[in-house]
Amino acid sequence: MPSDTRVTDSQDEQNYEDLFRDNDQIHVPLFQRPYVWTNKELTTLQDDIQVVLDGQESSQFLGAVVTYERPRDPNVTGRIKAVDVVDGQQRLITLTLYVAAIAEVMSSLDAEMAWRIIDDHLLVARTGLSVNTRIIPSISDRKQFHQVCERLNDSVHGVPESKKILAPQSGSESPADGRLLKQYMRMLKEMRALSKLADGECIEDAKSRLEGRLEVLIGSLQVVVLKLNDPSSANKIFQRLNYAGVQVDILGLVRNEVFSRLVDPRQTERIFQESWQPFELRLGEKGAGLFFPYCLIHKSSTTKSEMFSTLRELWKDHNSPEEIVHHLDPFADSYLALVTGDTSTFNDIAHVYIQRFYAMKCPAAAYPFLMQLLLAKQSDDIGDQDFEDLMNAVESFLIRRLICGFEPTGLHALFKSLWIDMRDNRSLDKFRQLVNVRGTIHWPTPEDVRKSIRERQLYKSKICNYLLVELDRLLPGDDPSEAPSVEHILPQTIEDGSPWAEIFSTEDHHRYRHTLANLVPLTQELNSSLSNQAYSDKASRFRSESMFKTPRLLAAEFPDIWDPDAIEARSEQIANQALQRWCH
């Protein structure tokens, strides 16, 4: 590449021609998202091309293309060099379609030149291949891509059958119409307009314009090619380098890894529809979070950057996607229970605890241990008492830390190997012992909890609503199903001269307004109607209108006045309740 066309100093900067010189074929992973570019993105690309054609720039930079070289089969000799495009499929397919459109229009002007364009820039220079296109789209785009290839086969006359374009097979679910084909037709319309002869022009003028456009496409549009050792690194790169792209999610990368071992598209599509797709639908939008705790369960030293290496190691003896899904299934049950609250696959004892951990928004650091504890209960590998003791202990440990505002430092290191560390003794005492030997983790004492409930601005913490609901449930009576709205008894703002200002100094107001003792759960409707009313009015309505038990009890215990002494007294009551509920 001439130095004056370079946009960066990177030795990995390449144009279309360089990229396909280095790689025989570029594969879009089978179940990657489909081609999504529209006329908007095409217009942007056309502007980049025009800048070069006008001589304003010698080249244009299109961003980064991220690839991962497919592992070679040592038993196969002479195999073509193929890479998966992890990010950049939209750009590469668009450039390929553009070259194809130029070739199709050129065929009506010069069939031999059209064939040279196809042979040089669209096909692998290797005989005996079942698919000879340089780029192979995902399954969802193949039927449309096949139509483009057939148009080229039909348009260039005189080419022997042995040199025809052999497009990849399309699956039954691949749509015959869509954005890829629509984009090609836009390009075809543009190239036909470009080749239209003006007064006094000859065919050579039209050919020259098409050739000039081709030269820009294959030689002047630059990308930096990033070759990954591990495709899991892609997400780190997407956030920094992209060109009108759409970020690939972790679940998509895992899907590509699972199916990379299959070569027959029809078999692959069948397995995807019958096995993987139902599994992926069951995982839902939170499914991407499964794979890191799954890796930690099997190899506790795994880091996120090493996740894909661990997955390959775990799955090396699984010969099919069905086997991998079978291996993942039980872990998916326990993971989904924690992140969605779905208890359908668990018994009544586990149900209560799953609901609690879901409601408290359990930190993900605890998932590897809790998932294994739930699995052990499902398979009767742990007794009911040990199971309940450990569930209560983990909940108390986490809730106390959240009440006290302790940083999560050390939780990942504790929980990632905790199940293995407890393999010979899965008791409450062993759990406490393993926590206490870690210098970076503090198990909050009763004094820590009391002080935090008395002094911390818990209204601003993510545990506030959970605490109010759980403390309300401790009281006798029915539990409301409605999510609470948090009411400040002492209002968040008070006006000078109001009854509240006569009771609370500015210092007292700042000290008490967001503490747990000044908060009660109410319905949204009742809370909205109270505003900054005097306490006597609030207490009356607590008694008569609240479906939550806490406000009714508070109004009975403090019927006349709400002042600093009352808040201090209630703070002590709440601390006693909390320490009774989270007693470990």
Side-chain angles (χ1 to χ4, degrees):
M1 185 192 309
S3 60
D4 61 348
T5 67
R6 284 189 175 275
V7 182
T8 74
D9 291 330
S10 173
Q11 296 302 308
D12 296 315
E13 183 178 327
Q14 296 184 324
N15 55 34
Y16 180 93
E17 194 170 24
D18 298 328
L19 187 57
F20 283 108
R21 186 185 297 118
D22 286 354
N23 305 287
D24 295 308
Q25 276 184 334
I26 292 180
H27 293 247
V28 178
L30 283 171
F31 298 104
Q32 189 73 284
R33 64 173 54 84
Y35 183 80
V36 297
W37 272 22
T38 63
N39 192 44
K40 177 183 176 182
E41 290 80 16
L42 180 61
T43 300
T44 300
L45 182 62
Q46 289 167 336
D47 291 342
D48 288 335
I49 294 170
Q50 196 60 47
V51 166
V52 178
L53 288 171
D54 292 344
Q56 298 177 46
E57 298 284 356
S58 60
S59 61
Q60 285 290 81
F61 183 57
L62 303 188
V65 169
V66 185
T67 66
Y68 172 69
E69 186 169 355
R70 291 186 157 204
R72 293 175 182 257
D73 187 341
N75 299 315
V76 177
T77 58
R79 179 183 169 190
I80 63 175
K81 182 180 179 182
V83 296
D84 281 350
V85 55
V86 184
D87 183 43
Q89 67 144 320
Q90 307 293 329
R91 281 158 286 168
L92 295 182
I93 289 178
T94 301
L95 293 176
T96 299
L97 293 177
Y98 239 135
V99 172
I102 290 173
E104 182 172 341
V105 173
M106 183 67 80
S107 67
S108 64
L109 305 175
D110 187 330
E112 184 179 346
M113 182 175 290
W115 169 247
R116 285 205 306 270
I117 292 171
I118 294 170
D119 195 32
D120 289 347
H121 304 300
L122 297 179
L123 302 183
V124 177
R126 194 78 60 87
T127 58
L129 298 175
S130 60
V131 176
N132 64 0
T133 57
R134 284 188 167 191
I135 194 162
I136 300 181
S138 67
I139 272 186
S140 58
D141 287 328
R142 288 188 181 182
K143 193 167 288 185
Q144 297 171 72
F145 187 69
H146 191 274
Q147 291 182 65
V148 172
C149 294
E150 285 304 300
R151 290 181 66 95
L152 292 178
N153 280 332
D154 293 342
S155 66
V156 183
H157 302 293
V159 177
E161 199 64 33
S162 61
K163 290 190 174 184
K164 292 284 188 181
I165 302 173
L166 302 174
Q169 292 181 354
S170 59
S172 60
E173 298 300 316
S174 177
D177 190 24
R179 289 187 174 180
L180 186 149
L181 193 57
K182 286 183 173 65
Q183 196 78 296
Y184 181 72
M185 300 310 292
R186 290 187 190 105
M187 296 170 178
L188 207 54
K189 181 179 179 181
E190 181 195 359
M191 293 303 101
R192 284 171 178 159
L194 188 66
S195 67
K196 189 174 181 180
L197 297 179
D199 291 341
E201 286 191 326
C202 63
I203 287 178
E204 291 303 318
D205 295 316
K207 287 167 57 177
S208 178
R209 286 195 292 272
L210 290 173
E211 287 181 284
R213 182 64 56 96
L214 178 66
E215 287 176 8
V216 173
L217 285 167
I218 66 172
S220 301
L221 302 180
Q222 314 294 128
V223 295
V224 168
V225 180
L226 304 177
K227 301 174 184 178
L228 301 181
N229 296 320
D230 186 326
S232 66
S233 305
N235 271 339
K236 300 176 183 177
I237 296 166
F238 293 153
Q239 296 171 7
R240 301 292 186 269
L241 297 171
N242 217 339
Y243 181 82
V246 183
Q247 184 168 322
V248 175
D249 59 279
I250 292 296
L251 191 57
L253 294 173
V254 171
R255 182 195 312 127
N256 297 337
E257 171 62 26
V258 168
F259 283 92
S260 64
R261 60 201 71 203
L262 298 181
V263 294
D264 181 349
R266 298 196 183 279
Q267 178 198 24
T268 301
E269 187 175 5
R270 177 187 60 78
I271 293 173
F272 175 76
Q273 291 173 353
E274 294 176 1
S275 182
W276 182 264
Q277 192 171 48
F279 174 71
E280 195 170 309
L281 289 171
R282 183 160 70 88
L283 288 182
E285 62 181 17
K286 296 183 180 292
L290 164 65
F291 298 99
F292 188 49
Y294 169 82
C295 287
L296 291 173
I297 286 169
H298 294 90
K299 185 180 179 182
S300 61
S301 61
T302 303
T303 63
K304 286 190 174 181
S305 63
E306 297 167 342
M307 184 171 66
F308 270 73
S309 298
T310 299
L311 289 175
R312 288 194 195 96
E313 185 180 336
L314 292 174
W315 295 339
K316 66 182 179 183
D317 296 325
H318 298 298
N319 297 317
S320 71
E322 293 102 325
E323 291 181 18
I324 293 173
V325 169
H326 181 72
H327 194 258
L328 282 165
D329 253 328
F331 300 99
D333 287 341
S334 55
Y335 168 78
L336 288 172
L338 294 169
V339 300
T340 69
D342 178 9
T343 61
S344 58
T345 59
F346 294 90
N347 61 24
D348 290 342
I349 295 176
H351 171 88
V352 174
Y353 293 100
I354 289 169
Q355 290 296 319
R356 288 180 183 175
F357 281 103
Y358 172 66
M360 68 177 275
K361 297 180 175 61
C362 172
Y367 288 174
F369 178 76
L370 292 173
M371 287 166 63
Q372 291 175 98
L373 184 53
L374 288 169
L375 286 171
K377 186 69 194 74
Q378 269 188 316
S379 57
D380 293 323
D381 289 338
I382 190 170
D384 288 352
Q385 191 58 57
D386 282 342
F387 173 79
E388 291 197 66
D389 284 347
L390 285 174
M391 280 293 198
N392 279 322
V394 174
E395 183 191 4
S396 294
F397 172 65
L398 294 175
I399 292 294
R400 285 189 176 198
R401 289 179 61 88
L402 288 167
I403 289 173
C404 295
F406 290 170
E407 293 296 320
T409 306
L411 291 184
H412 173 75
L414 168 67
F415 283 111
K416 70 177 185 179
S417 61
L418 187 58
W419 188 254
I420 297 172
D421 296 339
M422 296 180 68
R423 59 182 169 270
D424 298 325
N425 181 4
R426 293 195 168 119
S427 67
L428 173 60
D429 289 341
K430 182 65 174 179
F431 174 59
R432 275 189 164 280
Q433 176 192 339
L434 290 170
V435 172
N436 290 331
V437 297
R438 293 181 174 272
T440 57
I441 300 177
H442 179 58
W443 195 311
T445 65
E447 291 71 27
D448 294 328
V449 174
R450 289 184 185 279
K451 185 175 189 295
S452 295
I453 288 176
R454 186 173 64 250
E455 298 178 2
R456 274 200 76 210
Q457 307 284 295
L458 278 163
Y459 173 68
K460 298 180 179 180
S461 71
K462 66 178 182 179
I463 198 65
C464 177
N465 282 38
Y466 178 78
L467 292 174
L468 292 175
V469 170
E470 288 300 305
L471 292 173
D472 193 78
R473 285 176 177 164
L474 291 177
L475 303 174
D478 295 335
D479 297 325
S481 58
E482 185 173 338
S485 172
V486 179
E487 157 69 2
H488 286 73
I489 308 168
L490 165 65
Q492 296 190 63
T493 59
I494 56 177
E495 297 178 1
D496 293 339
S498 70
W500 288 110
E502 295 176 6
I503 301 171
F504 290 88
S505 67
T506 301
E507 182 181 343
D508 286 339
H509 181 245
H510 287 301
R511 176 181 177 184
Y512 290 117
R513 59 179 172 172
H514 292 321
T515 60
L516 197 61
N518 189 53
L519 309 175
V520 290
L522 293 177
T523 62
Q524 179 64 54
E525 183 181 4
L526 180 55
N527 191 4
S528 298
S529 68
L530 289 174
S531 187
N532 290 359
Q533 291 182 10
Y535 177 69
S536 58
D537 296 327
K538 288 189 176 187
S540 175
R541 297 188 66 186
F542 288 168
R543 284 190 292 269
S544 61
E545 299 179 39
S546 174
M547 70 167 59
F548 288 92
K549 297 166 282 187
T550 300
R552 299 199 303 267
L553 180 62
L554 181 138
E557 292 187 0
F558 303 95
D560 302 318
I561 191 168
W562 190 249
D563 59 10
D565 289 340
I567 294 177
E568 291 286 353
R570 184 168 185 249
S571 175
E572 188 63 22
Q573 291 175 1
I574 291 176
N576 290 336
Q577 287 178 299
L579 290 169
Q580 179 184 3
R581 172 69 175 75
W582 297 289
C583 57
H584 292 293

